[in-house]
Amino acid sequence: MKIAVIGAGYVGLVSAACFAELGHEVVNVDNDRAKIAMLEQGQVPIHEELLPELLQKHRGRGLRFSADVRQAFSWCEVAFICVGTPPSPNGEADLSYVEGVARELALALKGHTVIVEKSTVPVGTCEAVRRTMLLHGADPRDFSIASNPEFLREGTAVSDFLYPERILLGVSDEESRKKLSAIYMPLLDGSYYERDDAIPGPTRPARLLVTSVRSAELIKHASNAFLALKISFINAVSTVCEGVGADVRQVAEGMGADSRIGPRFLTPGIGYGGSCFPKDVLAFRSVARSVGYDFQLLTEVMAINESQKERFLAKVREALWTLRGKKLAVLGLAFKGGTDDVRDSPAIEVVRRLLQEGAHVVAYDPAAMEKAKALFADGEIAFASDAYEACTGADAVLVLTEWQSFLELDLLRIRGLLKLPILLDGKNVFSTGVVEKAGLLYCGIGCEGSAFPLHAPFSQVSEDRSEMAEAGAQVAGEFTSALQALSQ
Ligand code: UDX
């Protein structure tokens, strides 16, 4: 199949590479000529596992890049719209890029083309694309409109595309259904997984769901809103856990054992971020309001998410008393582990608030530092080359992104580098026991072992917690003398 993918961002570039991997002829179009030039030279503008390998394998063969959208439209049989739909100030999705593509499409159509909305859009957008095309003179016999929402998570988008739990086609005619089913057939009949050059993954034929166009558009928003709801729910439960002395990790495990709940997306932290959940929850609430329903549940999901950052800052203040002048090591700036994306990152927001309170921040992130630098003025925060450099001489270390690589850190070495042995875990990456065995005070979200209030004499606290390792008791002495130094 000849496929044009409009937009070379997180969704478009991954989709173009994966369509080529499935054996189709693909042109990936973007109006950012610099980005197209980078891609043609073999550079990869986003941090995605397996994407460099796929681009290397298909660039110049089944996959080419272009800035000429009209040429692409006149050549292709199916055109996927994968342009951005950022939030407008009032929370509604800004569809101006989508409208721009619809206009170009109307002017460039040759022969029947299936036009597929893949970006996350409010229900009714496909209808709007159709109207725009007709307004600009397209012949309704020359095109069909369909919805094929993506369910790609950043960092694992290639494997999410090639090993989807479902392939969702929102169609209004047989032509669209046939062509889109044919595009995904290697995943639907499992033949892709038989290939010896297939990307490895949890082999299972994908499930095909065919719905109306509007239902498909809505499924995407409702899915993301529900996932965000699940995260805000466990964040609220973590607050109750702290109040009653329960451990949210045990509670989440107990809840997740019920197949109707499931174990995933039950990790509390400083809140969800990224370029999807925040905007999709806002957009979905706007869609509801546009049809007269005030989706208050989503308002509360956002309120809980916002409050998590303040709750975490309160823990930092409780552990360190005043923040002014304190040096804080921050591990993690991306909105989640496995990505370099800092868009709507809770970690960035927490750092901004620490700076407002006069703290000095030294940050390290395995992939997101370059993108984070653009968000701060020169010298506003320091960047370290690794976690150990960040912790050197710091009054505490704060973990703000769930990078799995942080679990390999030598915590004893970290303790030796810190001025005060305090680790505040904003994403529950570590277990309390492991951190305490290295002689560090642990403060997580929704669990025992929160940083001891500064006024509690550390020696009394260490007697209360007899399970603290010998190293912890030794730290008690160091900590007490550090406290005395602080109080002078
Ligand atoms: C999400 C959806 O998962 C994906 O299906 C959709 O296509 C795009 O949006 P993404 O935003 O890339 O993907 O990341 P995801 O892995 O869903 O995490 C979103 C946020 O939730 C991150 O900030 C993450 O740290 C947070 N999160 C996730 C939690 O706080 N707790 C959890 O248990 C899981």
Side-chain angles (χ1 to χ4, degrees), residues 150-154 220 224 227 231 235 264-269 271-277 280 335-337 346 402 427:
E150 49 81 16
F151 298 99
L152 310 180
R153 288 166 301 157
E154 282 190 40
K220 175 66 190 188
N224 268 10
L227 290 168
I231 292 167
N235 277 330
R264 298 169 68 188
F265 281 64
L266 282 179
T267 306
Y272 60 76
S275 66
C276 297
F277 284 177
D280 289 355
F335 82 88
K336 69 170 187 176
E402 67 278 35
K427 285 287 193 174

Side-chain angles (χ1 to χ4, degrees), residues 309-327:
K309 290 172 268 252
E310 195 40 51
R311 288 186 186 286
F312 181 73
L313 285 159
K315 293 172 186 289
V316 179
R317 292 186 205 103
E318 182 186 353
L320 286 172
W321 196 356
T322 60
L323 300 187
R324 184 160 300 286
K326 291 277 183 4
K327 178 179 177 183

Side-chain angles (χ1 to χ4, degrees), residues 29 40 63 84 144 158 182 286 297 328 445:
V29 182
E40 285 172 330
L63 172 61
S144 305
V158 170
S286 298
L297 185 59
L328 301 178
I445 308 281

